[in-house]
Amino acid sequence: MFGLMYLTYHCPNCDSLNQSPELSEAATLECGHCDWVRKVPVSVPQNNSPPDQCLRCGNEDLWRQKNFSQALGLGFVALAAVISSIAWMYYRPILAISILMAFAVLDMILYVVMPDVLVCYRCQTKHHGIDVSGHKTFDHELAEKYRQEEIRLKASQ
Ligand SMILES: [Zn+2]
Ligand SMILES: [Zn+2]
């Protein structure tokens, strides 16, 4: 019921966004935009069970996130506003309000049916097609720790 397991990640070399092939078949990650190649550092979990570590960088802290992009949500709101203002223009206020409400409900349904992904605090890699029930959600303190770490790392280079 969870579908294919794959990653979406930013290449550490050229920063392009990549999508990995199905993980149980491919144990190597390859950037499609440069020659960066890396073996998956930990063993790939079976039957869609969640990994203990990030499959891109091996980091142990992962959080669970709705795979629902903010941009998509905002696009929805904008579209609803446009259509409903057309209804207002034609003096159809009830229709206008209904349109707004219909979009709000659709937005909510989309949010609920969108599967969760596991995201790595260190490299932001998203793990798709994984049963994340029971996994922790976003922790600001932990995220801050990783943000500081990245700043220190950049400064030391
Ligand atoms: Zn690359
Ligand atoms: Zn990672």
Side-chain angles (χ1 to χ4, degrees):
M1 78 182 262
F2 291 103
L4 300 178
M5 277 198 303
Y6 65 94
L7 307 178
T8 44
Y9 63 97
H10 284 276
C11 168
N13 185 37
C14 72
D15 210 37
S16 313
L17 187 64
N18 283 286
Q19 182 174 326
S20 81
E22 156 71 344
L23 282 173
S24 51
E25 285 159 24
T28 330
L29 301 174
E30 271 175 59
C31 176
H33 307 271
C34 71
D35 55 8
W36 183 85
V37 178
R38 200 188 158 171
K39 267 183 113 84
V40 174
V42 291
S43 61
V44 175
Q46 297 303 305
N47 306 322
N48 303 88
S49 54
D52 299 329
Q53 289 165 278
C54 172
L55 297 177
R56 215 290 273 142
C57 75
N59 184 38
E60 286 180 6
D61 289 317
L62 307 165
W63 91 83
R64 159 190 179 177
Q65 187 194 59
K66 267 291 167 204
N67 189 23
F68 183 71
S69 82
Q70 212 114 55
L72 186 68
L74 284 177
F76 244 74
V77 171
L79 190 64
V82 168
I83 298 176
S84 100
S85 58
I86 292 170
W88 274 112
M89 250 166 34
Y90 288 96
Y91 306 102
R92 302 285 298 276
I94 294 174
L95 182 66
I97 291 164
S98 313
I99 290 167
L100 280 180
M101 281 172 58
F103 269 90
V105 168
L106 203 60
D107 197 60
M108 229 161 66
I109 292 171
L110 258 185
Y111 184 83
V112 171
V113 299
M114 279 313 229
D116 286 356
V117 290
L118 274 188
V119 190
C120 172
Y121 280 99
R122 180 168 284 147
C123 72
Q124 316 296 321
T125 290
K126 285 183 182 168
H127 303 64
H128 303 260
I130 279 165
D131 176 12
V132 295
S133 45
H135 222 282
K136 288 200 200 78
T137 51
F138 189 71
D139 180 336
H140 280 280
E141 268 175 46
L142 209 52
E144 182 59 21
K145 199 187 97 185
Y146 280 100
R147 203 177 67 85
Q148 296 293 341
E149 179 194 82
E150 203 189 331
I151 290 169
R152 274 200 307 275
L153 209 70
K154 282 213 174 105
S156 70
Q157 273 167 6

